[in-house]
Amino acid sequence: MELQLALDLVNITEAKQVVKEVAPYIDIVEIGTPVVINEGLHAVKAIKDEFPSLKVLADLKIMDAGGYEVMKASEAGADIITVLGVSDDSTIKGAVEEARKQNKKIMVDMINVQDIASRAQEIDSLGVDYICVHSGYDHQAAGKNSFEDLATIKRVVKHAKTAIAGGIKLQTLPEVISAQPDLVIVGGGITGSEDMQLVAAQMQRMIKQG
């Protein structure tokens, strides 16, 4: 089980400061969609250049032109790139094909997918590396979480690794770990805490024991 730090509400300078504090305790650093929108793929390159030993995920939430967008993210140094599960199969296939050429990985984000079980099976057959259940900001505000969806994809997915994101905090982490995803994605649960280093260290310890 790995720990991914999601950076959403920072600029490049702030992102570097946060990652510097918690780098020893995380496996992957995610350059979130808001950062990519505000800063462009320069943010991915800046973090990969500064922290070459960490895997960097570019949360592009690709919906179209999968091959091209994966190519551009790969050029910027991304190790993992996200594609939306609601996008067309041809978009996901194009992303996977380009990722194979570049020796990168594809994560499919299942945000807003209506039939999680059947879509996860379809996506799993397309050769993606991760399938992620995700309660977005708007879902969290409505009190939703992804634990049930994680159990669903764990049941049907045969090849891809599973990931969970959305509102995970120290107090909810044991429930997440008990569901045994391959990857736990935490944003504000670390970045919003007073002592980011302490929380990241505690989370890493719990995940590695889990």
Side-chain angles (χ1 to χ4, degrees):
M1 207 180 297
E2 291 188 306
L3 177 60
Q4 176 172 311
L5 172 70
L7 297 175
D8 284 322
L9 305 175
V10 291
N11 58 36
I12 291 174
T13 305
E14 291 164 343
K16 286 180 180 178
Q17 290 167 345
V18 172
V19 177
K20 195 173 181 182
E21 263 192 72
V22 302
Y25 310 108
I26 62 173
D27 302 289
I28 302 167
V29 57
E30 170 189 331
I31 305 303
T33 316
V35 184
V36 175
I37 288 170
N38 291 331
E39 301 273 5
L41 286 169
H42 303 296
V44 174
K45 186 173 190 321
I47 294 299
K48 189 64 183 178
D49 287 351
E50 188 98 357
F51 304 96
S53 62
L54 280 177
K55 285 182 275 189
V56 176
L57 178 143
D59 190 20
L60 301 191
K61 292 189 173 76
I62 294 169
M63 186 70 181
D64 189 24
Y68 177 77
E69 296 195 7
V70 167
M71 178 180 70
K72 300 315 284 184
S74 300
E75 286 171 4
D79 300 289
I80 307 167
I81 301 103
T82 65
V83 182
L84 290 178
V86 292
S87 60
D88 194 80
D89 283 3
S90 61
T91 301
I92 298 173
K93 284 177 187 169
V96 169
E97 281 170 22
E98 185 61 31
R100 292 291 170 272
K101 280 187 216 165
Q102 306 285 350
N103 199 25
K104 308 296 184 181
K105 296 189 183 302
I106 295 297
M107 176 185 288
V108 171
D109 186 333
M110 300 293 279
I111 192 167
N112 234 35
V113 169
Q114 298 306 304
D115 186 342
I116 291 278
S118 65
R119 187 62 179 142
Q121 281 182 302
E122 290 167 359
I123 289 166
D124 193 34
S125 71
L126 300 177
V128 307
D129 302 283
Y130 295 90
I131 297 177
C132 177
V133 291
H134 182 189
S135 293
Y137 285 118
D138 299 335
H139 287 157
Q140 290 170 49
K144 296 178 184 172
N145 69 47
S146 305
F147 299 137
E148 207 175 300
D149 291 341
L150 177 60
T152 300
I153 66 166
K154 286 281 292 183
R155 197 171 62 247
V156 300
V157 167
K158 300 284 188 282
H159 309 291
K161 291 182 176 180
T162 57
I164 182 169
I168 297 167
K169 299 192 168 39
L170 204 50
Q171 57 268 36
T172 58
L173 189 57
E175 188 181 355
V176 175
I177 291 169
S178 68
Q180 289 292 296
D182 297 292
L183 179 60
V184 178
I185 302 169
V186 181
I190 291 174
T191 59
S193 56
E194 281 182 26
D195 191 334
M196 290 188 287
Q197 198 171 51
L198 178 66
V199 172
Q202 287 177 312
M203 285 188 162
Q204 185 207 40
R205 191 164 59 249
M206 290 163 71
I207 282 169
K208 296 309 177 192
Q209 286 169 350

